[in-house]
């Protein structure tokens, strides 16, 4: 017999994950609202959760849709990406420039390509998890990631040649 899921416990366990996921997509200012709406939506949909994917993946799918809605309604631009969190206090000038170049290159990607890069490289999701979040085949995820990384590489090389 499956234990009943409690939205309060789910929120307690997964809020930080959902918040970070939202912050990377729509910025810190809008992330708290999007995370809260994610759990409100999850509460309403909880009885329909069948366990076909992990709870984490299911929540991130809801969060992804909420971020898209918020971004569309508020006409938000992608926030700067802080990919290197554990650098320490001694940040070199080249690291700051590299981070800036990477953020610019990521922002040049289409939303579809940027999403798969963030989900795979930053959020650590597998191809299958990304496919469930985006509701596309895993082959599509692999293709998008491949093309996104090619575009990133090209953009970073062009930036370095200036």
């Amino acid at each position: 017999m499956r234990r009943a899921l409690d939205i309060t416990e789910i929120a307690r366990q997964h809020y930080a994950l959902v918040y970070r996921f939202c912050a990377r997509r729509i910025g810190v200012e809008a992330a708290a609202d999007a995370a809260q709406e994610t759990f409100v939506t999850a509460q309403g949909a909880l009885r329909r959760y069948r366990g076909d994917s992990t709870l984490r993946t299911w929540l991130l799918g809801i969060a992804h849709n909420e971020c898209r809605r918020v971004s569309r309604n508020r006409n938000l631009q992608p926030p700067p990406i802080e990919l290197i969190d554990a650098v320490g206090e001694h940040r070199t000038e080249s690291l700051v420039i590299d981070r800036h170049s990477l953020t610019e290159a990521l922002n040049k990607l289409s939303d579809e390509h940027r999403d798969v890069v963030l989900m795979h490289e930053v959020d650590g999701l597998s191809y299958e998890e990304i496919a469930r979040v985006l509701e596309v085949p895993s082959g599509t995820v692999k293709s998008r990631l491949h093309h996104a990384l090619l575009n990133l590489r090209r953009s970073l090389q062009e930036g370095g040649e200036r």
Side-chain angles (χ1 to χ4, degrees):
M1 183 173 180
R2 196 170 115 184
R3 191 178 132 225
L5 297 172
D6 174 34
I7 194 66
T8 305
E9 185 60 30
I10 292 169
R12 187 178 357 265
Q13 291 176 3
H14 297 280
Y15 182 83
L17 169 77
V18 170
Y19 174 82
R20 286 190 311 270
F21 182 89
C22 294
R24 287 186 194 107
R25 282 147 186 84
I26 58 175
V28 174
E29 297 81 23
D33 290 342
Q36 183 175 352
E37 285 301 316
T38 295
F39 289 103
V40 169
T41 301
Q43 182 176 16
L46 196 55
R47 67 182 177 282
R48 294 188 310 269
Y49 173 67
R50 298 183 315 253
D52 294 340
S53 63
T54 65
L55 194 56
R56 170 182 175 238
T57 302
W58 181 71
L59 286 170
L60 293 181
I62 295 169
H64 175 72
N65 290 333
E66 183 59 28
C67 289
R68 288 175 47 198
R69 186 192 66 74
V70 168
S71 180
R72 196 173 41 248
N73 290 347
R74 297 184 187 180
N75 198 21
L76 297 174
Q77 295 299 313
I81 305 300
E82 296 294 332
L83 293 178
I84 309 167
D85 293 328
V87 175
E89 297 300 316
H90 305 305
R91 295 185 177 168
T92 64
E93 183 177 329
S94 64
L95 179 60
V96 172
I97 292 169
D98 289 346
R99 185 182 298 195
H100 179 73
S101 299
L102 183 56
T103 298
E104 283 184 350
L106 279 167
N107 288 339
K108 289 179 184 176
L109 294 177
S110 69
D111 290 343
E112 291 176 341
H113 285 167
R114 188 172 188 274
D115 283 342
V116 295
V117 169
L118 290 175
M119 286 183 204
H120 191 267
E121 300 299 327
V122 178
D123 298 321
L125 300 179
S126 69
Y127 297 133
E128 292 75 23
E129 289 172 320
I130 297 169
R132 288 188 184 271
V133 168
L134 297 178
E135 298 176 339
V136 298
S138 61
T140 301
V141 171
K142 291 175 186 177
S143 174
R144 286 181 186 175
L145 185 59
H146 171 76
H147 290 287
L149 294 175
L150 286 176
N151 289 337
L152 269 177
R153 187 176 299 121
R154 188 176 311 117
S155 184
L156 289 169
Q157 287 172 343
E158 289 170 1
E161 295 171 0
R162 291 184 188 153

